[in-house]
Amino acid sequence: MMRPNVVVLIAAALAPPAHGIRIVQSNDDGWAELYVRTLNSALRAAGHAVVLAAPAEDMSATGSRDEPPAPRAGPCEYASCPPRAGPVGSNATRPDLTWVNSFPATSIRYGIDSVGPRLWRGAAPELAVTGPNVGTNLWLSVLISGTVGAACFAAHDAGIPAIAFSGASAQRAAWDVSPVPNRSIVYAQLATALTNKIVASGKPYLPEDVFLNVNFPKVEGACTNATDFKWILSRINPGTFSRPDVEWCDSTRLPTELSVAGRDGCYISVSIGDASDKTTVNDGRQKVVLDKLRDMLVCLP
Ligand SMILES: *[C@@H]1O[C@H](CO)[C@@H](O)[C@H](O)[C@H]1NC(C)=O
Ligand SMILES: *[C@@H]1O[C@H](CO)[C@@H](O)[C@H](O)[C@H]1NC(C)=O
Ligand SMILES: *[C@@H]1O[C@H](CO)[C@@H](O)[C@H](O)[C@H]1NC(C)=O
């Protein structure tokens, strides 16, 4: 039998570091898509307690649709669950990995209301992280993206600060592919870095009703190592007729995320989104986010 002090030592070694928080994760490409799983592993390795609740299959471009999950007939994507497995289910040995036979917003709702509290003795998630989406979600596509829809459900309906990640390298892959392609590792490293930055900035992690819409460029050419990438504060939609943006980079107009994506130089756009309508937040909340991220941001040349 193990002596009690040894048990205590092991428990202490396994306890998350002080900065670890409770995170609910979702996406729209499905619970078994590689990108969301690599990020799940990276967030756990960083000390966070993570619950993944995502659609049973690809539900891209379903926006904020939210309907009660129905029983499945066929297997989940990539044969990741057997046929006729019910309306929701989880990995047999990892109850924190859950599929929901419905939309992204429904899935994250289930993670927030059911899976998280069940595994965390009733406690709610403190942050929502969606994606990385397979493919970008820029400007108009933000409106139909399920990855953004899930983030907005968390931020607007559940009051949980949310970050939506999307990656321009758009090759799909199953959760168990080996070796894990570099693009998935780099996106997970970058998403974890921004998540940790927001966590380190303290509560409230984001202003009320705000989500961050983050788009990574392709992992190729000169942009293959996480250290190659640079973070740019941006807008979702053009601001032609909007009031001035927060003063930053000698300007009172932030670049659009589309213009950031069009530049060479490994630039990541970080837009301050309004979770109530998926447009750009255009008020004092911009400065609050800028102050949280300031020392990791650069200006476009
Ligand atoms: C379920 O979890 C086990 C143990 O971590 C893993 O080996 C397996 O690939 C997972 N399957 C799915 C579909 O998540
Ligand atoms: C992935 O990254 C490793 C380490 O940087 C590198 O050696 C390898 O060539 C990369 N693979 C591809 C396909 O780019
Ligand atoms: C990325 O770059 C850093 C710093 O140059 C280096 O230490 C690290 O090994 C590189 N990672 C990979 C996967 O090549």
Side-chain angles (χ1 to χ4, degrees):
M1 233 184 93
M2 239 183 222
R3 296 179 50 180
N5 58 339
V6 177
V7 174
V8 169
L9 279 177
I10 292 173
L14 294 177
H19 68 279
I21 66 162
R22 293 181 304 276
I23 295 177
V24 64
Q25 221 197 342
S26 194
N27 74 347
D28 71 7
D29 299 302
W31 83 306
E33 184 62 45
L34 177 65
Y35 283 177
V36 80
R37 294 297 187 96
T38 310
L39 178 55
N40 181 273
S41 301
L43 291 172
R44 284 159 53 96
H48 301 295
V50 190
V51 152
L52 169 67
E57 59 192 335
D58 183 12
M59 283 287 171
S60 293
T62 55
S64 291
R65 291 183 67 181
D66 183 6
E67 291 169 18
R72 284 193 68 75
C76 298
E77 66 178 358
Y78 305 121
S80 58
C81 81
R84 292 175 295 281
V88 297
S90 54
N91 183 307
T93 53
R94 289 274 310 272
D96 53 300
L97 301 174
T98 311
W99 56 264
V100 177
N101 192 35
S102 187
F103 298 104
T106 316
S107 304
I108 203 164
R109 173 206 293 280
Y110 185 72
I112 294 167
D113 290 349
S114 301
V115 192
R118 192 159 67 228
L119 296 180
W120 298 328
R121 292 182 207 151
E126 297 162 280
L127 184 70
V129 169
T130 64
N133 188 73
V134 180
T136 56
N137 279 307
L138 298 159
W139 190 19
L140 292 176
S141 52
V142 165
L143 295 172
I144 58 162
S145 161
T147 292
V148 171
C152 288
F153 177 88
H156 183 70
D157 299 84
I160 296 168
I163 312 175
F165 293 103
S166 302
S169 288
Q171 304 95 317
R172 294 184 177 277
W175 85 99
D176 58 352
V177 70
S178 177
V180 175
N182 287 354
R183 62 179 190 280
S184 195
I185 296 170
V186 170
Y187 286 158
Q189 289 171 338
L190 293 168
T192 301
L194 184 67
T195 300
N196 284 343
K197 184 76 184 166
I198 288 292
V199 170
S201 76
K203 288 185 175 177
Y205 294 133
L206 290 171
E208 201 173 319
D209 233 355
V210 160
F211 76 102
L212 299 183
N213 191 49
V214 181
N215 276 275
F216 303 125
K218 285 187 175 167
V219 176
E220 63 178 29
C223 316
T224 52
N225 184 318
T227 57
D228 298 329
F229 292 77
K230 302 176 196 75
W231 306 84
I232 306 292
L233 196 66
S234 57
R235 300 177 54 88
I236 295 175
N237 45 312
T240 324
F241 302 107
S242 313
R243 50 192 278 194
D245 286 318
V246 63
E247 192 174 344
W248 177 237
C249 296
D250 294 324
S251 170
T252 51
R253 184 58 76 215
L254 296 170
T256 63
E257 53 193 18
L258 205 54
S259 73
V260 174
R263 297 285 283 269
D264 287 334
C266 318
Y267 295 115
I268 301 165
S269 61
V270 182
S271 295
I272 308 164
D274 187 332
S276 69
D277 64 3
K278 303 175 186 172
T279 64
T280 298
V281 159
N282 213 162
D283 57 30
R285 289 174 292 177
Q286 286 185 338
K287 170 89 167 29
V288 177
V289 175
L290 169 61
D291 286 344
K292 283 173 175 282
L293 300 180
R294 193 180 287 271
D295 60 12
M296 83 189 287
L297 298 171
V298 302
C299 300
L300 279 177

